[in-house]
Amino acid sequence: MKQLKRAALAAAVLMAHGAMAQTCTVAGAGLTYPVTRTVDQTDDYHGVKVADPYRWLEDANSAETGDWVQAQNKLTQSYLSQIPGRDAIRARLTKLWNYERFSVPFKEGGRYFYSRNDGLQNQAVLYTMKTLADVPRLLLDPNTLAADGTVALAGLAVSPNGKFLAYSTAASGSDWNEIKVRDIESGKDTTDLVKWVKFSNTAWLHDGSGFFYSRYDEPEEATKLAGVNYFQKLYFHKLGTPQSADALVYDRPDHKDWGFGAEVTEDGRFLIITGSQGTENKNRIFYKDLSNKNAKVVGLLEDFDAAYNFIGNDGPVFWFRTERNAPRGRIISIDTRKPAVLNWKQIVPEGGDTMVSASMVNNQLLVDYLSDAHSLVKVYDLKGKPLHDIELPGLGTAGGFSGKRSDGETFYSYTSFTAPTTIYRYDLKANKSSVYRQPNVDFDAGKFETRQQFFTSRDGTKVPMFIVAKKGLKLDGGNPTYLYGYGGFNISLTPTFSVANLAWLEMGGVYVMANLRGGGEYGESWHESGTKLQKQNVFDDFIGAAEWLIANKVTSPARLSIGGGSNGGLLVGAAMTQRPELFAAAIPQVGVMDMLRFHKFTIGWAWTSDYGSSDNADEFKALVKYSPLHNLKKGVCYPATMITTADHDDRVVPAHSFKFAATAQADQAQGGAPILIRIDSKAGHGAGKPTTKQIEEVADRWGFLARALKMDDGAEAAKTAGQQ
């Protein structure tokens, strides 16, 4: 019986590239793709033979791969350059992008800190001031670190005494960071330099003498962007000393896949160590008493049974937001002197909404919830008694609310699909919000409207999506539509302002964002129902959104496009291979496309908590059924597709996109729509990408879709909007 099942599975894999020649009903672009060499590479997965003819493209450092990248980019840019109106779209994007943007301010050591981008700066600039009435002083301008803006500020931490700024930078979009230290008063850097930092925060000792951070061993130069990352270690760096003298605080050589984050309690007494294991939505908690230099690291929560997020402490009593016995979150306190579960105290119980985060400010608890994927913020006293809600401007996304126990103020941001991110100051004693910074964007928000629509997925699950369009949308099936999704890793998609999407709306497009299973919108159970052997639920939800949009005449297959990045790129790849007839265009961005080998590169092994692994026989069966690379079929009419990736992406290595593009180009039916790949240089997975590069990429995306969806008037609409 097992042999018959194995043979059937092998046949299904082989069928993906079998002869199924057909001619597409819509004439293609007549493109001549670069010749991509194939190799005789076959792997055995639990008795199933799977070919990997483009394995050589995994070597990003080879001259042959470099030539292939150059040839593909030449073809893509040649195609894009012929699209009428792309220049008008770029011009409109540039004008829209040119507005002031602010981060949420925070206060440390008697100073306020925030970042600001004046509009078209490649990177935001960090400022400081002692009072809100002061003229801000420039503290750090990342734009001076590289002429082309490809060195970004990746993180920062101010010492509690307000004397030093530890800041990390990332070059060309890589996840590798370097940490430097700046004297805040003089504005000059010290001699401190910490390298080979990745997936780490920075936590200062209370006296400002040094900080904790996490790093990996120095990689080999040739494989630093693709080599597997294991054995993260937590160190302490003392100011004024070389990195070689840094003290190892905690590591687990018995668990290569454990990672560590550090936090020092507000009173300076305890070091809180969060132990992660891949991207699992669970963690361990350890702590160390910093008042005793001989104290050892103590395990507090080591069962790895839920997520525990540290909120604050009253001496040895620690407060956590947790999902233990509460999939939508609750707040508990644990006395470290008697840490047994039976002694835990529940402060704020689980409710009907999803608890996202919590902070202690003004000796109160500020708790941020998601209610049907939009923000709701409640205030409690320290005993868990509800006090009041923080009134928000509408159905959007709020964030921030940090501060000290004694602070009477906090700051937060609010945004929606058509409301640019505005910064508010909240007076906790008066329960009053006031606008602190409000941007002015060159568009008329009154022309657009947002509605939330629930639809039924394949298994009967109700799933929400947001539909954003110009007011008075005609339901005639003719609206060019961009359906966006993610659906993974407990990440929630909420209403957020985007000038990129605004340009699309001005072009006459409809923007739709689906809140798929696998995300965190409805808590851990919603997340788990889109993982591992249930991952197909995510794709069914996305396809269900598309079918609802078509059935209700928002759009039609000839006018519907899909997009998503990273795990969302996988989503797009799976949807277009499972239901190619449903979409006219697809843009998978920096996607995980080879589900059989993703865990063999950089931090890919960490994603097995969501995906499973091909090393497991049952999980392999699920993975191979939806892996975008392995489900392309010869001769099928695939949608017009533009795959995007970047040469310094060391999160989802570009080999995923390279192999998917080569296979899709070879398999596309005769006369089929274009299959292109856009490979950015000196860029990574997306974080820290310079403004100029962002504008170019979005202009190419909307230009490509304008042509694929036959939006003859799209570019003209963008041009007209820019003249109003």
Side-chain angles (χ1 to χ4, degrees), residues 278-515:
T279 51
E280 190 86 47
N281 190 39
K282 302 174 184 177
N283 59 276
R284 298 172 173 86
I285 298 290
F286 310 87
Y287 70 93
K288 181 178 181 179
D289 188 343
L290 296 175
S291 66
N292 179 1
K293 70 176 184 178
N294 296 318
K296 295 184 178 180
V297 173
V298 178
L300 178 63
L301 299 165
E302 297 188 83
D303 291 340
F304 200 63
D305 56 357
Y308 298 91
N309 301 109
F310 181 76
I311 299 172
N313 70 302
D314 278 322
V317 179
F318 295 174
W319 300 55
F320 296 93
R321 184 196 73 86
T322 183
E323 292 165 3
R324 179 187 166 100
N325 298 328
R328 297 200 182 195
R330 62 180 176 138
I331 295 176
I332 61 171
S333 67
I334 302 175
D335 189 330
T336 57
R337 296 164 298 189
K338 43 181 181 179
V341 175
L342 58 88
N343 296 320
W344 293 6
K345 292 183 179 180
Q346 178 167 275
I347 308 300
V348 178
E350 179 184 29
D353 298 313
T354 303
M355 186 183 292
V356 177
S357 64
S359 58
M360 282 186 179
V361 187
N362 192 44
N363 284 308
Q364 296 173 329
L365 289 168
L366 278 61
V367 186
D368 188 1
Y369 291 93
L370 277 184
S371 178
D372 286 334
H374 63 266
S375 290
L376 175 67
V377 185
K378 295 179 176 291
V379 181
Y380 300 83
D381 68 16
L382 294 185
K383 293 183 179 180
K385 177 184 176 182
L387 298 178
H388 50 76
D389 293 356
I390 296 178
E391 187 176 350
L392 300 176
L395 300 183
T397 304
F401 306 103
S402 65
K404 299 285 193 296
R405 289 278 294 270
S406 59
D407 289 347
E409 67 175 356
T410 188
F411 296 85
Y412 67 92
S413 63
Y414 173 81
T415 183
S416 71
F417 290 113
T418 55
T421 301
T422 298
I423 309 300
Y424 291 84
R425 178 184 178 273
Y426 177 62
D427 185 328
L428 283 97
K429 295 178 181 178
N431 183 24
K432 183 178 180 180
S433 294
S434 57
V435 174
Y436 177 65
R437 292 285 187 270
Q438 186 169 29
N440 182 25
V441 183
D442 178 35
F443 85 109
D444 183 357
K447 292 182 177 180
F448 306 95
E449 60 184 356
T450 301
R451 68 184 176 105
Q452 188 174 41
Q453 174 68 49
F454 286 79
F455 63 91
T456 303
S457 191
R458 183 177 182 180
D459 64 355
T461 300
K462 295 293 184 182
V463 181
M465 61 180 167
F466 292 97
I467 303 174
V468 192
K470 288 182 178 179
K471 290 181 177 178
L473 182 71
K474 293 182 179 180
L475 299 179
D476 58 3
N479 301 298
T481 300
Y482 182 68
L483 171 60
Y484 177 83
Y486 187 81
F489 299 100
N490 200 43
I491 293 173
S492 302
L493 296 186
T494 60
T496 305
F497 183 77
S498 162
V499 292
N501 293 337
L502 182 60
W504 173 253
L505 295 171
E506 289 185 340
M507 289 168 60
V510 177
Y511 177 78
V512 182
M513 187 177 78
N515 299 106

Side-chain angles (χ1 to χ4, degrees), residues 37 48 139 149 173-174 190 216 234 240 244 260-261 341 359 369 447 458 507 515 524-525 548 553 576 581 655 660 687:
R37 177 174 63 89
V48 177
L139 180 58
S174 171
T190 67
Y216 293 92
L234 180 66
S244 59
F260 305 102
V341 175
S359 58
Y369 291 93
K447 292 182 177 180
R458 183 177 182 180
M507 289 168 60
N515 299 106
E524 182 55 22
S525 58
W548 188 96
K553 297 187 177 181
M576 64 177 279
E581 81 289 352
F660 185 75

Side-chain angles (χ1 to χ4, degrees), residues 92-422:
R92 180 57 181 151
L93 281 166
T94 302
K95 190 172 183 180
L96 284 171
W97 228 290
N98 193 12
Y99 74 98
E100 284 186 306
R101 300 182 291 283
F102 302 89
S103 71
V104 176
F106 68 92
K107 192 175 184 180
E108 192 69 71
R111 294 175 180 269
Y112 293 94
F113 299 85
Y114 74 95
S115 64
R116 170 184 174 270
N117 189 310
D118 66 12
L120 295 177
Q121 288 175 291
N122 278 319
Q123 304 292 342
V125 178
L126 182 65
Y127 292 88
T128 185
M129 53 194 178
K130 290 189 175 181
T131 72
L132 295 180
D134 287 349
V135 176
R137 175 168 67 89
L138 189 154
L139 180 58
L140 177 63
D141 184 358
N143 297 289
T144 64
L145 303 179
D148 58 1
T150 55
V151 174
L153 187 61
L156 57 90
V158 176
S159 62
N161 58 16
K163 291 184 177 180
F164 299 104
L165 167 72
Y167 67 96
S168 56
T169 59
S172 300
S174 171
D175 281 333
W176 287 114
N177 292 176
E178 292 185 353
I179 300 176
K180 296 181 180 180
V181 177
R182 178 156 294 192
D183 182 291
I184 292 175
E185 192 62 40
S186 69
K188 295 181 179 180
D189 284 350
T190 67
T191 58
D192 299 271
L193 176 63
V194 173
K195 302 178 68 175
W196 306 118
V197 177
K198 184 183 279 195
F199 313 127
S200 172
N201 65 324
T202 307
W204 284 91
L205 275 183
H206 225 234
D207 62 4
S209 62
F211 55 83
F212 300 91
Y213 70 97
S214 302
R215 60 160 292 190
Y216 293 92
D217 292 336
E218 182 176 350
E220 296 181 7
E221 181 64 26
T223 59
K224 68 179 182 180
L225 293 180
V228 179
N229 302 135
Y230 282 128
F231 298 109
Q232 192 182 48
K233 303 177 179 71
L234 180 66
Y235 285 90
F236 176 74
H237 175 75
K238 185 176 181 179
L239 290 189
T241 64
Q243 184 174 7
S244 59
D246 289 356
L248 177 63
V249 177
Y250 195 68
D251 72 337
R252 290 300 293 263
D254 55 331
H255 292 285
K256 66 180 182 179
D257 56 348
W258 286 19
F260 305 102
E263 181 177 355
V264 176
T265 56
E266 187 178 326
D267 60 11
R269 179 178 169 185
F270 295 100
L271 171 68
I272 308 297
I273 302 172
T274 299
S276 61
Q277 191 169 345
T279 51
E280 190 86 47
N281 190 39
K282 302 174 184 177
N283 59 276
R284 298 172 173 86
I285 298 290
F286 310 87
Y287 70 93
K288 181 178 181 179
D289 188 343
L290 296 175
S291 66
N292 179 1
K293 70 176 184 178
N294 296 318
K296 295 184 178 180
V297 173
V298 178
L300 178 63
L301 299 165
E302 297 188 83
D303 291 340
F304 200 63
D305 56 357
Y308 298 91
N309 301 109
F310 181 76
I311 299 172
N313 70 302
D314 278 322
V317 179
F318 295 174
W319 300 55
F320 296 93
R321 184 196 73 86
T322 183
E323 292 165 3
R324 179 187 166 100
N325 298 328
R328 297 200 182 195
R330 62 180 176 138
I331 295 176
I332 61 171
S333 67
I334 302 175
D335 189 330
T336 57
R337 296 164 298 189
K338 43 181 181 179
V341 175
L342 58 88
N343 296 320
W344 293 6
K345 292 183 179 180
Q346 178 167 275
I347 308 300
V348 178
E350 179 184 29
D353 298 313
T354 303
M355 186 183 292
V356 177
S357 64
S359 58
M360 282 186 179
V361 187
N362 192 44
N363 284 308
Q364 296 173 329
L365 289 168
L366 278 61
V367 186
D368 188 1
Y369 291 93
L370 277 184
S371 178
D372 286 334
H374 63 266
S375 290
L376 175 67
V377 185
K378 295 179 176 291
V379 181
Y380 300 83
D381 68 16
L382 294 185
K383 293 183 179 180
K385 177 184 176 182
L387 298 178
H388 50 76
D389 293 356
I390 296 178
E391 187 176 350
L392 300 176
L395 300 183
T397 304
F401 306 103
S402 65
K404 299 285 193 296
R405 289 278 294 270
S406 59
D407 289 347
E409 67 175 356
T410 188
F411 296 85
Y412 67 92
S413 63
Y414 173 81
T415 183
S416 71
F417 290 113
T418 55
T421 301
T422 298

